Amino acid sequence: MTAPRFACPACGGALAERSDALVCASCGRSYPILFGIPDLRLTGDRYLSLEEDRRRAQELFDAAAKGRSFEELLAFYWEKTESTPPAIAARHIAGVRRSVDESRPMIEALPGERFLDVGSGAGGSLVAALRSGRFTDLFGIDSALRWLVIAQHRLKEMGRAGAVRLAAASADALPFSGGGFDSVFLRHLLEHVADPARAIESAARVLAPGGSLGVEVFQRWTPAPEPHVGLWGVAWLPRKAQRAYVRWRTGDDYSAIRLPSRREIFRALSQSGLELRSFLFSPLSPGQRASVSPRFGPLFAIYALLAGRRLGRGLLSRFGPLLRFTAIKSRTGETIPS
């Protein structure tokens, strides 16, 4: 079984590796290697330009070189992100700390040896994949180089830096040729991309025939507080009103968050040649419970009751706060008619 290799995100051509860059043999584009991480992006992410992101990444790399631990680097990142209110930053940090345990059920459900995590962030899902010992080739992609520097430092602290290949790249232009991965994981990625359907299509393209896609996503039409900001009813508002409402209530910038609907996600699956296999329902973690106001405590009992019954699981798959499922790529690689 051939290990996946990076390819040009612009034309799909093979990349030749030099000491400081990857160069496309087909179109001649050059992609720098920064902090040991190939930067295969064509544009910046939804928050920062390429130049701004690289400056933040340098700042984090320098802080790590001066001896900051992963936890200290995480706190340092949010201290430097002055536009994010402290209460919202604390929610994000808590989510990073929970990510390894919360990724584990999906990691256990994904087969094969070649694993790609899209939207790696601080590396929680990669840590869970490493600890599972089930994959021989692990890759982590994120559109933000700054977060990959944090993930890299986390892996170094574990003594596993060489076990994962990281690269900065866009979810809708994954830098690989088609069919190279047995499993692709999109954990809380679809809420943060402009076009979830394109991200799913890109993931399907790099899956081998018969390969599995794992998705965790907060869905729009759920009777629960919006998980990023802890406010009830945000996602029910018209898209254009959500940003203003969150800014008014919390002071945070909600412009780059867009919770997709269940219908939107499953339409994209079908159009990308993917077939739903199964839903996963795991008990809520202590951290998830702590992230919600105590006045919403009764929701936990309702969730546990529904998750334990077949009819209840059907309701959760439609209206629960978290969609967690696996899908399989057609073995012929053909698109399934919608």
Side-chain angles (χ1 to χ4, degrees):
M1 186 176 292
T2 304
R5 299 188 64 181
F6 292 124
C8 177
C11 74
L15 295 175
E17 185 167 354
R18 299 178 181 173
S19 60
D20 60 348
L22 298 179
V23 180
C24 180
S26 298
C27 69
R29 287 177 181 263
S30 179
Y31 301 95
I33 298 174
L34 304 172
F35 322 109
I37 301 170
D39 189 345
L40 298 167
R41 297 172 295 176
L42 303 175
T43 62
D45 61 35
R46 300 183 72 190
Y47 293 95
L48 300 178
S49 67
L50 283 175
E51 294 74 17
E52 291 169 331
D53 178 51
R54 288 169 180 172
R55 284 197 295 270
R56 289 297 305 274
Q58 182 70 62
E59 189 176 53
L60 290 161
F61 185 81
D62 292 343
K66 292 177 181 177
R68 290 184 189 254
S69 66
F70 162 70
E71 285 282 342
E72 291 169 337
L73 207 60
L74 192 59
F76 177 72
Y77 175 86
W78 289 111
E79 288 169 7
K80 289 291 186 177
T81 310
E82 297 177 356
S83 61
T84 301
I88 301 298
R91 293 182 68 87
H92 294 321
I93 291 172
V96 169
R97 289 172 176 159
R98 300 195 308 264
S99 62
V100 177
D101 288 338
E102 291 176 9
S103 297
R104 189 172 294 117
M106 184 62 74
I107 296 296
E108 293 174 352
L110 293 174
E113 299 178 355
R114 301 167 299 176
F115 174 85
L116 172 63
D117 182 30
V118 184
S120 296
S125 297
L126 292 172
V127 172
L130 280 170
R131 289 178 177 173
S132 76
R134 300 177 52 247
F135 306 102
T136 56
D137 297 296
L138 287 92
F139 287 74
I141 296 295
D142 201 281
S143 63
L145 180 63
R146 58 193 182 277
W147 277 109
L148 291 173
V149 169
I150 294 175
Q152 180 188 63
H153 191 55
R154 184 183 205 171
L155 294 169
K156 284 182 179 178
E157 281 192 350
M158 296 173 56
R160 301 298 302 276
V164 178
R165 292 215 62 185
L166 301 174
S170 299
D172 59 3
L174 292 173
F176 303 97
S177 57
F181 291 95
D182 304 305
S183 291
V184 176
F185 191 17
L186 311 181
R187 182 176 187 271
H188 298 308
L189 170 84
L190 299 180
E191 305 97 316
H192 299 277
V193 296
D195 190 342
R198 286 187 62 189
I200 290 173
E201 180 184 15
S202 185
R205 180 183 63 80
V206 302
L207 271 174
S212 292
L213 176 72
V215 174
E216 290 187 21
V217 57
F218 294 121
Q219 62 171 326
R220 184 177 185 186
W221 304 113
T222 179
E226 202 285 344
H228 301 90
V229 293
L231 298 176
W232 193 292
V234 171
W236 301 346
L237 296 172
R239 298 283 190 191
K240 293 182 179 179
Q242 293 174 9
R243 178 179 179 180
Y245 180 70
V246 172
R247 175 71 73 182
W248 171 58
R249 291 293 305 276
T250 70
D252 195 25
D253 180 5
Y254 196 74
S255 61
I257 298 176
R258 179 188 178 279
L259 269 60
S261 69
R262 180 184 191 273
R263 181 179 181 183
E264 178 182 2
I265 294 168
F266 290 154
R267 183 190 300 120
L269 289 179
S270 177
Q271 292 174 343
S272 298
L274 298 167
E275 181 179 354
L276 179 69
R277 181 172 69 177
S278 63
F279 291 98
L280 280 76
F281 301 96
S282 300
L284 295 173
S285 69
Q288 287 174 314
R289 292 171 178 265
S291 70
V292 178
S293 170
R295 69 178 182 275
F296 299 132
L299 292 175
F300 299 136
I302 295 172
Y303 178 90
L305 181 66
L306 293 175
R309 291 166 171 78
R310 183 176 179 180
L311 178 60
R313 290 193 292 270
L315 290 172
L316 285 177
S317 72
R318 291 185 175 275
F319 305 108
L322 180 66
L323 268 180
R324 180 185 286 163
F325 63 88
T326 58
I328 299 177
K329 182 175 180 176
S330 166
R331 289 197 176 275
T332 64
E334 297 178 355
T335 300
I336 299 172
S338 58

